[in-house]
Amino acid sequence: MTTTESRPSAGGPSEEPAPVVRTTTGAVRGRREEGLAVFRGIPFAEAPVGEARFMAPRPAHAWDGIRDAYAFGPPPPQDLGNLGGPGLVGLPEGDEWLTVNVWTPEPDPVARRPVMVWIYGGAYKLGHSGSPGYDARHIATDGDVVVVSLNYRVGMEGFAFIEGAPANRGLLDQVAALEWVRDNIEAFGGDPGQVTVFGESAGAGSIASLLAMPRAAGLFRRAIAQSVPGTFFSDALARDIGAALAAEVGLRPTVADLATIAPHRLTSAGETLSAKMLQYVDRWGQAAPTVTPFSPVADGEVLPTSPWQALAAGSARNIDLLVGHNRDEYRLFVAMAGQLGQITEERAAAALRLFAPGEEQAYRAAFPDASPSELYERVQTDWLFNMPSLHLAEAQRAGGGSAHVYELTWPAPGNGGALGACHGLDIPLLFGTYGADLGLLLFAGAEPSAEALSLSSRFRASWTSFARTGDPGWPAYDGERRLVQVLDAEPVVTAYPEERSRRLWEGYEFLPLPLL
């Protein structure tokens, strides 16, 4: 049920009526903003503290009367350390981390617009839906869709292995939010049968997980995965890292021990371990250089297998998939470490030995003119994002489904273009938030050019078209022509551009990372 009510304003007797929507747990009052009705901070689950700490999400408590849904909910506890994530200044404090936000053209139950549910990234250790870079007004307006964003537990609270707690608690939060969408979105003007999940980086890894999770079956019809990371932990690796995390605060990796430390203090375990993960390369292998001790775990229950295995077996054959990556993904991390153009031959060789799927020399032969910096970036771009993304499309096809693929090649204008088409560039382009979060770095605080605005508009048109019809505007990927949409100043549909990398990784299996 949806109603409106006039609210007194400082400028006169009344302003535009405030939208009120009744959810399954109580009524919420939103705001009118630039032609949209916007609702923020609606609880979809109980605060995961006290007896609920480290447990699967529990249903939110009902409330009486009308709850103001004006402000984003508190961010989950998180490590802002070496990735310098979106700031938390000005956001509310408290334990009610598990909330959703809704942007809708009109909360009319008859409208039944397509619904797009955003899942943020942040290395599974940081991020929150109140980040200014995730303001969804342009997507909702341009695409005439309902957009939902959500908070989920990250870091120790959401992803660390803890004895006595379910694995992948952050993923279970996402399932609970999607159940909230299923049960409530019609009242906000959305169609619960036309739900598309979309996310970037760890958000795309979360979506890959949801495609493989029995508990998420039937909760969404389409999925957009932007820069899927290939890092999933085996159960043995997750247990070993969990023990190391607990040891950082002098405790055992059990619910009883870790619950003695307040959530916002427990983030120190991840912060201190992240800084010295390279010391564990002999035990943790490829996971060690990723600077995050958190990833989804193929635990055999919540997440039965890796997404690539699950999709190839047909777990998502009835889901429409759009997946892609940026050409120069890893350059962002090199730049943030202050090492652009400073990679030595020794470091490049070490990266090739650790990450290349075959002999180090095969990469050198495929890229004979590459400098040490280029080889170092290329192999880590391929291992961490590009090949996992491409292989997800191929696994979807192998399992009887279809996938559309894209690559972003337009270079970020910040830093004189030195960052290229790096990781995260698709976020400000998709949301149109050039002056927020990563957009500040990638666009250098400058007004976006006409070229950027045109590409940004194309992103939103393709993404919302896919949410509405399953067709983003270019052919599905196949094993013969391998057509993809290249997103640049002059977008073009062509054969997959990274053919040298594709051949190097042909036949490679992205399996859960082992404990060595």
Side-chain angles (χ1 to χ4, degrees), residues 339 342-356 359-361 363-364 370-380:
Q339 296 174 346
Q342 298 178 24
I343 302 299
T344 63
E345 172 59 35
E346 290 74 19
R347 288 191 66 191
L352 288 169
R353 285 193 297 272
L354 186 58
F355 297 112
E359 293 295 320
E360 170 189 342
Q361 199 52 42
Y363 248 89
R364 295 185 183 277
S371 67
S373 286
E374 289 166 341
L375 283 170
Y376 179 84
E377 277 182 33
R378 184 77 263 151
V379 70
Q380 293 190 81

PDB file of all heavy atoms in Angstrom, residues 339 342-356 359-361 363-364 370-380:
ATOM      1  N   GLN A 339      53.552   3.074  -7.446  1.00  0.00           N
ATOM      2  CA  GLN A 339      54.572   2.321  -8.175  1.00  0.00           C
ATOM      3  C   GLN A 339      54.389   2.334  -9.686  1.00  0.00           C
ATOM      4  O   GLN A 339      54.955   1.486 -10.380  1.00  0.00           O
ATOM      5  CB  GLN A 339      54.577   0.874  -7.665  1.00  0.00           C
ATOM      6  CG  GLN A 339      54.974   0.775  -6.203  1.00  0.00           C
ATOM      7  CD  GLN A 339      54.841  -0.625  -5.643  1.00  0.00           C
ATOM      8  OE1 GLN A 339      54.213  -1.484  -6.251  1.00  0.00           O
ATOM      9  NE2 GLN A 339      55.422  -0.855  -4.477  1.00  0.00           N
ATOM     10  N   GLN A 342      57.435   1.815 -12.018  1.00  0.00           N
ATOM     11  CA  GLN A 342      58.595   1.534 -11.166  1.00  0.00           C
ATOM     12  C   GLN A 342      58.784   0.041 -10.890  1.00  0.00           C
ATOM     13  O   GLN A 342      59.550  -0.343 -10.006  1.00  0.00           O
ATOM     14  CB  GLN A 342      58.447   2.281  -9.835  1.00  0.00           C
ATOM     15  CG  GLN A 342      58.407   3.795  -9.996  1.00  0.00           C
ATOM     16  CD  GLN A 342      58.222   4.508  -8.670  1.00  0.00           C
ATOM     17  OE1 GLN A 342      58.555   3.978  -7.619  1.00  0.00           O
ATOM     18  NE2 GLN A 342      57.684   5.716  -8.709  1.00  0.00           N
ATOM     19  N   ILE A 343      58.085  -0.806 -11.622  1.00  0.00           N
ATOM     20  CA  ILE A 343      58.180  -2.242 -11.387  1.00  0.00           C
ATOM     21  C   ILE A 343      59.470  -2.785 -12.009  1.00  0.00           C
ATOM     22  O   ILE A 343      59.729  -2.585 -13.194  1.00  0.00           O
ATOM     23  CB  ILE A 343      56.956  -2.973 -11.972  1.00  0.00           C
ATOM     24  CG1 ILE A 343      55.667  -2.425 -11.357  1.00  0.00           C
ATOM     25  CG2 ILE A 343      57.075  -4.474 -11.746  1.00  0.00           C
ATOM     26  CD1 ILE A 343      55.546  -2.580  -9.857  1.00  0.00           C
ATOM     27  N   THR A 344      60.253  -3.479 -11.214  1.00  0.00           N
ATOM     28  CA  THR A 344      61.522  -4.026 -11.693  1.00  0.00           C
ATOM     29  C   THR A 344      61.289  -5.349 -12.428  1.00  0.00           C
ATOM     30  O   THR A 344      60.235  -5.982 -12.306  1.00  0.00           O
ATOM     31  CB  THR A 344      62.464  -4.290 -10.514  1.00  0.00           C
ATOM     32  OG1 THR A 344      61.862  -5.281  -9.654  1.00  0.00           O
ATOM     33  CG2 THR A 344      62.714  -3.021  -9.708  1.00  0.00           C
ATOM     34  N   GLU A 345      62.303  -5.765 -13.146  1.00  0.00           N
ATOM     35  CA  GLU A 345      62.254  -7.059 -13.833  1.00  0.00           C
ATOM     36  C   GLU A 345      62.060  -8.192 -12.826  1.00  0.00           C
ATOM     37  O   GLU A 345      61.337  -9.162 -13.093  1.00  0.00           O
ATOM     38  CB  GLU A 345      63.544  -7.257 -14.636  1.00  0.00           C
ATOM     39  CG  GLU A 345      63.714  -8.634 -15.252  1.00  0.00           C
ATOM     40  CD  GLU A 345      62.587  -9.014 -16.206  1.00  0.00           C
ATOM     41  OE1 GLU A 345      62.066  -8.113 -16.906  1.00  0.00           O
ATOM     42  OE2 GLU A 345      62.215 -10.203 -16.234  1.00  0.00           O
ATOM     43  N   GLU A 346      62.693  -8.084 -11.674  1.00  0.00           N
ATOM     44  CA  GLU A 346      62.573  -9.129 -10.651  1.00  0.00           C
ATOM     45  C   GLU A 346      61.127  -9.259 -10.170  1.00  0.00           C
ATOM     46  O   GLU A 346      60.611 -10.372  -9.999  1.00  0.00           O
ATOM     47  CB  GLU A 346      63.493  -8.818  -9.463  1.00  0.00           C
ATOM     48  CG  GLU A 346      64.981  -8.956  -9.758  1.00  0.00           C
ATOM     49  CD  GLU A 346      65.537  -7.808 -10.607  1.00  0.00           C
ATOM     50  OE1 GLU A 346      64.891  -6.735 -10.669  1.00  0.00           O
ATOM     51  OE2 GLU A 346      66.602  -7.992 -11.212  1.00  0.00           O
ATOM     52  N   ARG A 347      60.457  -8.130  -9.944  1.00  0.00           N
ATOM     53  CA  ARG A 347      59.067  -8.182  -9.474  1.00  0.00           C
ATOM     54  C   ARG A 347      58.143  -8.707 -10.569  1.00  0.00           C
ATOM     55  O   ARG A 347      57.199  -9.446 -10.284  1.00  0.00           O
ATOM     56  CB  ARG A 347      58.604  -6.800  -9.002  1.00  0.00           C
ATOM     57  CG  ARG A 347      59.248  -6.384  -7.682  1.00  0.00           C
ATOM     58  CD  ARG A 347      58.594  -5.161  -7.117  1.00  0.00           C
ATOM     59  NE  ARG A 347      57.212  -5.417  -6.722  1.00  0.00           N
ATOM     60  CZ  ARG A 347      56.341  -4.458  -6.394  1.00  0.00           C
ATOM     61  NH1 ARG A 347      56.721  -3.189  -6.444  1.00  0.00           N
ATOM     62  NH2 ARG A 347      55.113  -4.768  -6.038  1.00  0.00           N
ATOM     63  N   ALA A 348      58.400  -8.320 -11.799  1.00  0.00           N
ATOM     64  CA  ALA A 348      57.587  -8.832 -12.902  1.00  0.00           C
ATOM     65  C   ALA A 348      57.742 -10.346 -13.014  1.00  0.00           C
ATOM     66  O   ALA A 348      56.751 -11.081 -13.184  1.00  0.00           O
ATOM     67  CB  ALA A 348      57.984  -8.147 -14.211  1.00  0.00           C
ATOM     68  N   ALA A 349      58.957 -10.826 -12.905  1.00  0.00           N
ATOM     69  CA  ALA A 349      59.204 -12.274 -13.004  1.00  0.00           C
ATOM     70  C   ALA A 349      58.514 -13.019 -11.859  1.00  0.00           C
ATOM     71  O   ALA A 349      57.936 -14.093 -12.063  1.00  0.00           O
ATOM     72  CB  ALA A 349      60.708 -12.543 -12.997  1.00  0.00           C
ATOM     73  N   ALA A 350      58.557 -12.447 -10.660  1.00  0.00           N
ATOM     74  CA  ALA A 350      57.914 -13.091  -9.511  1.00  0.00           C
ATOM     75  C   ALA A 350      56.401 -13.162  -9.708  1.00  0.00           C
ATOM     76  O   ALA A 350      55.767 -14.178  -9.381  1.00  0.00           O
ATOM     77  CB  ALA A 350      58.259 -12.333  -8.231  1.00  0.00           C
ATOM     78  N   ALA A 351      55.823 -12.086 -10.249  1.00  0.00           N
ATOM     79  CA  ALA A 351      54.375 -12.083 -10.503  1.00  0.00           C
ATOM     80  C   ALA A 351      54.002 -13.116 -11.559  1.00  0.00           C
ATOM     81  O   ALA A 351      52.993 -13.822 -11.423  1.00  0.00           O
ATOM     82  CB  ALA A 351      53.929 -10.686 -10.937  1.00  0.00           C
ATOM     83  N   LEU A 352      54.811 -13.230 -12.589  1.00  0.00           N
ATOM     84  CA  LEU A 352      54.536 -14.227 -13.631  1.00  0.00           C
ATOM     85  C   LEU A 352      54.618 -15.642 -13.066  1.00  0.00           C
ATOM     86  O   LEU A 352      53.793 -16.498 -13.382  1.00  0.00           O
ATOM     87  CB  LEU A 352      55.509 -14.049 -14.794  1.00  0.00           C
ATOM     88  CG  LEU A 352      55.290 -12.820 -15.683  1.00  0.00           C
ATOM     89  CD1 LEU A 352      56.473 -12.610 -16.613  1.00  0.00           C
ATOM     90  CD2 LEU A 352      53.998 -12.953 -16.494  1.00  0.00           C
ATOM     91  N   ARG A 353      55.599 -15.878 -12.213  1.00  0.00           N
ATOM     92  CA  ARG A 353      55.733 -17.215 -11.630  1.00  0.00           C
ATOM     93  C   ARG A 353      54.531 -17.553 -10.745  1.00  0.00           C
ATOM     94  O   ARG A 353      54.062 -18.691 -10.727  1.00  0.00           O
ATOM     95  CB  ARG A 353      57.029 -17.315 -10.821  1.00  0.00           C
ATOM     96  CG  ARG A 353      58.289 -17.417 -11.664  1.00  0.00           C
ATOM     97  CD  ARG A 353      59.490 -17.834 -10.828  1.00  0.00           C
ATOM     98  NE  ARG A 353      59.810 -16.841  -9.790  1.00  0.00           N
ATOM     99  CZ  ARG A 353      60.609 -15.809  -9.971  1.00  0.00           C
ATOM    100  NH1 ARG A 353      61.182 -15.609 -11.157  1.00  0.00           N
ATOM    101  NH2 ARG A 353      60.859 -14.963  -8.986  1.00  0.00           N
ATOM    102  N   LEU A 354      54.018 -16.566 -10.027  1.00  0.00           N
ATOM    103  CA  LEU A 354      52.942 -16.824  -9.069  1.00  0.00           C
ATOM    104  C   LEU A 354      51.574 -16.910  -9.740  1.00  0.00           C
ATOM    105  O   LEU A 354      50.728 -17.717  -9.349  1.00  0.00           O
ATOM    106  CB  LEU A 354      52.942 -15.720  -7.999  1.00  0.00           C
ATOM    107  CG  LEU A 354      51.968 -15.898  -6.839  1.00  0.00           C
ATOM    108  CD1 LEU A 354      52.224 -17.204  -6.094  1.00  0.00           C
ATOM    109  CD2 LEU A 354      52.060 -14.712  -5.874  1.00  0.00           C
ATOM    110  N   PHE A 355      51.350 -16.080 -10.784  1.00  0.00           N
ATOM    111  CA  PHE A 355      49.987 -15.933 -11.292  1.00  0.00           C
ATOM    112  C   PHE A 355      49.750 -16.509 -12.689  1.00  0.00           C
ATOM    113  O   PHE A 355      48.615 -16.834 -13.033  1.00  0.00           O
ATOM    114  CB  PHE A 355      49.580 -14.453 -11.298  1.00  0.00           C
ATOM    115  CG  PHE A 355      49.540 -13.835  -9.943  1.00  0.00           C
ATOM    116  CD1 PHE A 355      50.456 -12.865  -9.569  1.00  0.00           C
ATOM    117  CD2 PHE A 355      48.596 -14.238  -9.011  1.00  0.00           C
ATOM    118  CE1 PHE A 355      50.417 -12.293  -8.311  1.00  0.00           C
ATOM    119  CE2 PHE A 355      48.551 -13.677  -7.749  1.00  0.00           C
ATOM    120  CZ  PHE A 355      49.474 -12.699  -7.389  1.00  0.00           C
ATOM    121  N   ALA A 356      50.779 -16.598 -13.517  1.00  0.00           N
ATOM    122  CA  ALA A 356      50.558 -17.073 -14.888  1.00  0.00           C
ATOM    123  C   ALA A 356      50.068 -18.517 -14.866  1.00  0.00           C
ATOM    124  O   ALA A 356      50.506 -19.319 -14.027  1.00  0.00           O
ATOM    125  CB  ALA A 356      51.836 -16.952 -15.701  1.00  0.00           C
ATOM    126  N   GLU A 359      53.846 -21.642 -18.111  1.00  0.00           N
ATOM    127  CA  GLU A 359      55.225 -21.208 -17.951  1.00  0.00           C
ATOM    128  C   GLU A 359      55.317 -19.684 -18.052  1.00  0.00           C
ATOM    129  O   GLU A 359      54.623 -19.063 -18.851  1.00  0.00           O
ATOM    130  CB  GLU A 359      56.106 -21.846 -19.026  1.00  0.00           C
ATOM    131  CG  GLU A 359      56.254 -23.355 -18.885  1.00  0.00           C
ATOM    132  CD  GLU A 359      56.995 -23.737 -17.617  1.00  0.00           C
ATOM    133  OE1 GLU A 359      57.977 -23.041 -17.273  1.00  0.00           O
ATOM    134  OE2 GLU A 359      56.586 -24.719 -16.958  1.00  0.00           O
ATOM    135  N   GLU A 360      56.203 -19.108 -17.252  1.00  0.00           N
ATOM    136  CA  GLU A 360      56.450 -17.662 -17.301  1.00  0.00           C
ATOM    137  C   GLU A 360      56.770 -17.212 -18.719  1.00  0.00           C
ATOM    138  O   GLU A 360      56.332 -16.144 -19.180  1.00  0.00           O
ATOM    139  CB  GLU A 360      57.607 -17.329 -16.350  1.00  0.00           C
ATOM    140  CG  GLU A 360      58.138 -15.917 -16.464  1.00  0.00           C
ATOM    141  CD  GLU A 360      59.415 -15.709 -15.650  1.00  0.00           C
ATOM    142  OE1 GLU A 360      59.699 -16.538 -14.747  1.00  0.00           O
ATOM    143  OE2 GLU A 360      60.119 -14.728 -15.909  1.00  0.00           O
ATOM    144  N   GLN A 361      57.511 -18.054 -19.432  1.00  0.00           N
ATOM    145  CA  GLN A 361      57.958 -17.668 -20.762  1.00  0.00           C
ATOM    146  C   GLN A 361      56.798 -17.529 -21.745  1.00  0.00           C
ATOM    147  O   GLN A 361      56.885 -16.776 -22.721  1.00  0.00           O
ATOM    148  CB  GLN A 361      58.969 -18.695 -21.295  1.00  0.00           C
ATOM    149  CG  GLN A 361      59.827 -18.183 -22.435  1.00  0.00           C
ATOM    150  CD  GLN A 361      60.518 -16.863 -22.117  1.00  0.00           C
ATOM    151  OE1 GLN A 361      61.029 -16.661 -21.011  1.00  0.00           O
ATOM    152  NE2 GLN A 361      60.505 -15.941 -23.080  1.00  0.00           N
ATOM    153  N   TYR A 363      53.930 -16.082 -21.255  1.00  0.00           N
ATOM    154  CA  TYR A 363      53.458 -14.697 -21.198  1.00  0.00           C
ATOM    155  C   TYR A 363      54.421 -13.771 -21.930  1.00  0.00           C
ATOM    156  O   TYR A 363      54.019 -12.880 -22.676  1.00  0.00           O
ATOM    157  CB  TYR A 363      53.304 -14.240 -19.736  1.00  0.00           C
ATOM    158  CG  TYR A 363      51.855 -14.005 -19.349  1.00  0.00           C
ATOM    159  CD1 TYR A 363      51.083 -15.036 -18.842  1.00  0.00           C
ATOM    160  CD2 TYR A 363      51.257 -12.761 -19.521  1.00  0.00           C
ATOM    161  CE1 TYR A 363      49.765 -14.843 -18.509  1.00  0.00           C
ATOM    162  CE2 TYR A 363      49.937 -12.557 -19.186  1.00  0.00           C
ATOM    163  CZ  TYR A 363      49.193 -13.596 -18.677  1.00  0.00           C
ATOM    164  OH  TYR A 363      47.876 -13.392 -18.364  1.00  0.00           O
ATOM    165  N   ARG A 364      55.697 -13.981 -21.715  1.00  0.00           N
ATOM    166  CA  ARG A 364      56.693 -13.124 -22.382  1.00  0.00           C
ATOM    167  C   ARG A 364      56.613 -13.285 -23.897  1.00  0.00           C
ATOM    168  O   ARG A 364      56.743 -12.312 -24.642  1.00  0.00           O
ATOM    169  CB  ARG A 364      58.094 -13.467 -21.878  1.00  0.00           C
ATOM    170  CG  ARG A 364      58.293 -13.162 -20.393  1.00  0.00           C
ATOM    171  CD  ARG A 364      59.737 -13.401 -19.969  1.00  0.00           C
ATOM    172  NE  ARG A 364      59.954 -13.180 -18.554  1.00  0.00           N
ATOM    173  CZ  ARG A 364      60.166 -11.974 -17.996  1.00  0.00           C
ATOM    174  NH1 ARG A 364      60.184 -10.898 -18.751  1.00  0.00           N
ATOM    175  NH2 ARG A 364      60.360 -11.881 -16.695  1.00  0.00           N
ATOM    176  N   ALA A 370      56.402  -6.052 -24.124  1.00  0.00           N
ATOM    177  CA  ALA A 370      55.923  -5.499 -22.854  1.00  0.00           C
ATOM    178  C   ALA A 370      57.091  -5.207 -21.915  1.00  0.00           C
ATOM    179  O   ALA A 370      58.034  -5.993 -21.794  1.00  0.00           O
ATOM    180  CB  ALA A 370      54.958  -6.476 -22.198  1.00  0.00           C
ATOM    181  N   SER A 371      57.004  -4.070 -21.234  1.00  0.00           N
ATOM    182  CA  SER A 371      57.986  -3.710 -20.207  1.00  0.00           C
ATOM    183  C   SER A 371      57.707  -4.521 -18.938  1.00  0.00           C
ATOM    184  O   SER A 371      56.649  -5.147 -18.807  1.00  0.00           O
ATOM    185  CB  SER A 371      57.873  -2.220 -19.888  1.00  0.00           C
ATOM    186  OG  SER A 371      56.619  -1.962 -19.253  1.00  0.00           O
ATOM    187  N   PRO A 372      58.632  -4.511 -17.974  1.00  0.00           N
ATOM    188  CA  PRO A 372      58.342  -5.193 -16.696  1.00  0.00           C
ATOM    189  C   PRO A 372      57.048  -4.697 -16.045  1.00  0.00           C
ATOM    190  O   PRO A 372      56.262  -5.509 -15.542  1.00  0.00           O
ATOM    191  CB  PRO A 372      59.568  -4.873 -15.850  1.00  0.00           C
ATOM    192  CG  PRO A 372      60.676  -4.716 -16.836  1.00  0.00           C
ATOM    193  CD  PRO A 372      60.032  -4.061 -18.031  1.00  0.00           C
ATOM    194  N   SER A 373      56.815  -3.401 -16.081  1.00  0.00           N
ATOM    195  CA  SER A 373      55.578  -2.865 -15.494  1.00  0.00           C
ATOM    196  C   SER A 373      54.354  -3.405 -16.219  1.00  0.00           C
ATOM    197  O   SER A 373      53.347  -3.763 -15.586  1.00  0.00           O
ATOM    198  CB  SER A 373      55.574  -1.334 -15.554  1.00  0.00           C
ATOM    199  OG  SER A 373      56.446  -0.783 -14.605  1.00  0.00           O
ATOM    200  N   GLU A 374      54.431  -3.469 -17.541  1.00  0.00           N
ATOM    201  CA  GLU A 374      53.292  -3.946 -18.326  1.00  0.00           C
ATOM    202  C   GLU A 374      53.026  -5.426 -18.081  1.00  0.00           C
ATOM    203  O   GLU A 374      51.873  -5.860 -17.976  1.00  0.00           O
ATOM    204  CB  GLU A 374      53.537  -3.653 -19.814  1.00  0.00           C
ATOM    205  CG  GLU A 374      53.438  -2.170 -20.143  1.00  0.00           C
ATOM    206  CD  GLU A 374      54.002  -1.827 -21.518  1.00  0.00           C
ATOM    207  OE1 GLU A 374      54.795  -2.633 -22.072  1.00  0.00           O
ATOM    208  OE2 GLU A 374      53.651  -0.754 -22.037  1.00  0.00           O
ATOM    209  N   LEU A 375      54.084  -6.222 -17.984  1.00  0.00           N
ATOM    210  CA  LEU A 375      53.908  -7.651 -17.702  1.00  0.00           C
ATOM    211  C   LEU A 375      53.321  -7.860 -16.307  1.00  0.00           C
ATOM    212  O   LEU A 375      52.430  -8.699 -16.110  1.00  0.00           O
ATOM    213  CB  LEU A 375      55.234  -8.378 -17.818  1.00  0.00           C
ATOM    214  CG  LEU A 375      55.739  -8.662 -19.233  1.00  0.00           C
ATOM    215  CD1 LEU A 375      57.174  -9.169 -19.203  1.00  0.00           C
ATOM    216  CD2 LEU A 375      54.832  -9.672 -19.940  1.00  0.00           C
ATOM    217  N   TYR A 376      53.833  -7.106 -15.337  1.00  0.00           N
ATOM    218  CA  TYR A 376      53.359  -7.199 -13.951  1.00  0.00           C
ATOM    219  C   TYR A 376      51.867  -6.871 -13.876  1.00  0.00           C
ATOM    220  O   TYR A 376      51.091  -7.583 -13.219  1.00  0.00           O
ATOM    221  CB  TYR A 376      54.181  -6.211 -13.121  1.00  0.00           C
ATOM    222  CG  TYR A 376      53.844  -6.116 -11.658  1.00  0.00           C
ATOM    223  CD1 TYR A 376      54.385  -7.021 -10.748  1.00  0.00           C
ATOM    224  CD2 TYR A 376      53.031  -5.091 -11.177  1.00  0.00           C
ATOM    225  CE1 TYR A 376      54.106  -6.916  -9.388  1.00  0.00           C
ATOM    226  CE2 TYR A 376      52.742  -4.982  -9.829  1.00  0.00           C
ATOM    227  CZ  TYR A 376      53.289  -5.890  -8.932  1.00  0.00           C
ATOM    228  OH  TYR A 376      53.007  -5.770  -7.589  1.00  0.00           O
ATOM    229  N   GLU A 377      51.470  -5.804 -14.543  1.00  0.00           N
ATOM    230  CA  GLU A 377      50.055  -5.423 -14.578  1.00  0.00           C
ATOM    231  C   GLU A 377      49.218  -6.436 -15.354  1.00  0.00           C
ATOM    232  O   GLU A 377      48.135  -6.823 -14.925  1.00  0.00           O
ATOM    233  CB  GLU A 377      49.893  -4.059 -15.265  1.00  0.00           C
ATOM    234  CG  GLU A 377      50.120  -2.875 -14.387  1.00  0.00           C
ATOM    235  CD  GLU A 377      49.886  -1.591 -15.176  1.00  0.00           C
ATOM    236  OE1 GLU A 377      49.015  -1.573 -16.076  1.00  0.00           O
ATOM    237  OE2 GLU A 377      50.594  -0.612 -14.902  1.00  0.00           O
ATOM    238  N   ARG A 378      49.723  -6.858 -16.508  1.00  0.00           N
ATOM    239  CA  ARG A 378      48.929  -7.704 -17.394  1.00  0.00           C
ATOM    240  C   ARG A 378      48.564  -9.022 -16.727  1.00  0.00           C
ATOM    241  O   ARG A 378      47.417  -9.450 -16.751  1.00  0.00           O
ATOM    242  CB  ARG A 378      49.718  -7.969 -18.674  1.00  0.00           C
ATOM    243  CG  ARG A 378      49.009  -8.764 -19.750  1.00  0.00           C
ATOM    244  CD  ARG A 378      48.006  -7.922 -20.499  1.00  0.00           C
ATOM    245  NE  ARG A 378      46.657  -8.069 -20.001  1.00  0.00           N
ATOM    246  CZ  ARG A 378      45.735  -7.106 -20.060  1.00  0.00           C
ATOM    247  NH1 ARG A 378      46.000  -5.935 -20.575  1.00  0.00           N
ATOM    248  NH2 ARG A 378      44.534  -7.313 -19.592  1.00  0.00           N
ATOM    249  N   VAL A 379      49.553  -9.683 -16.134  1.00  0.00           N
ATOM    250  CA  VAL A 379      49.267 -11.000 -15.572  1.00  0.00           C
ATOM    251  C   VAL A 379      48.322 -10.885 -14.374  1.00  0.00           C
ATOM    252  O   VAL A 379      47.457 -11.743 -14.164  1.00  0.00           O
ATOM    253  CB  VAL A 379      50.566 -11.744 -15.208  1.00  0.00           C
ATOM    254  CG1 VAL A 379      51.273 -11.117 -14.001  1.00  0.00           C
ATOM    255  CG2 VAL A 379      50.263 -13.229 -14.959  1.00  0.00           C
ATOM    256  N   GLN A 380      48.429  -9.794 -13.596  1.00  0.00           N
ATOM    257  CA  GLN A 380      47.548  -9.655 -12.437  1.00  0.00           C
ATOM    258  C   GLN A 380      46.162  -9.158 -12.843  1.00  0.00           C
ATOM    259  O   GLN A 380      45.156  -9.548 -12.242  1.00  0.00           O
ATOM    260  CB  GLN A 380      48.192  -8.753 -11.389  1.00  0.00           C
ATOM    261  CG  GLN A 380      49.435  -9.422 -10.807  1.00  0.00           C
ATOM    262  CD  GLN A 380      49.985  -8.702  -9.602  1.00  0.00           C
ATOM    263  OE1 GLN A 380      49.507  -8.865  -8.494  1.00  0.00           O
ATOM    264  NE2 GLN A 380      51.010  -7.886  -9.836  1.00  0.00           N
TER     265      GLN A 380
END
